[in-house]
Amino acid sequence: YRDIGIEVIGIVTADEALAEVDAWVTKWLPNANIRIGFDYSGEMDEDWLKASLSFAVPRAFVVDRDGRIAFIGDLVKLEDVLPKVIDGTWRASAEAKNAEKERIAEGETYAAVIVS
């Protein structure tokens, strides 16, 4: 996606091994130039995942050209979402609003289960 102005950055939490991530990227994205950051402090989990009700990983966070989080969700949805974020039609769309409502509802349901 670099040729259309998108940069991919991966964040790996401390409980994931560097070797596993490196092997996955090498196998599935052999020609990609992806920056990988490591969260040894647990701040990513606390500040991003829990704060966004994202309990499953991997999780994609897409930041639009305005610097706003446009999408949080499953990586498989990126193929459909990214072109819309790029052309500016995603954020105000009914599809985006419905996806966000569903994501929050799922997260709240899961959070209630793990708390009880």
Side-chain angles (χ1 to χ4, degrees), residues 9-14 16 21 34-40 44:
I9 301 169
I11 305 294
V12 179
T13 57
E16 295 176 284
V21 173
I34 298 175
R35 297 174 194 220
I36 304 290
F38 293 91
D39 174 20
Y40 294 107
M44 184 70 184

Side-chain angles (χ1 to χ4, degrees), residues 23-67:
W24 187 90
V25 170
T26 300
K27 179 179 179 180
W28 295 105
L29 304 167
N31 299 317
N33 182 11
I34 298 175
R35 297 174 194 220
I36 304 290
F38 293 91
D39 174 20
Y40 294 107
S41 68
E43 290 178 28
M44 184 70 184
D45 186 47
E46 202 59 41
D47 295 342
W48 286 78
L49 294 177
K50 287 180 183 173
S52 67
L53 295 172
S54 299
F55 298 101
V57 290
R59 188 60 61 212
F61 290 81
V62 177
V63 179
D64 66 16
R65 293 176 194 258
D66 297 328

Side-chain angles (χ1 to χ4, degrees), residues 60-77:
F61 290 81
V62 177
V63 179
D64 66 16
R65 293 176 194 258
D66 297 328
R68 296 175 67 185
I69 296 175
F71 173 78
I72 301 171
D74 195 318
L75 300 175
V76 295
K77 295 180 180 177

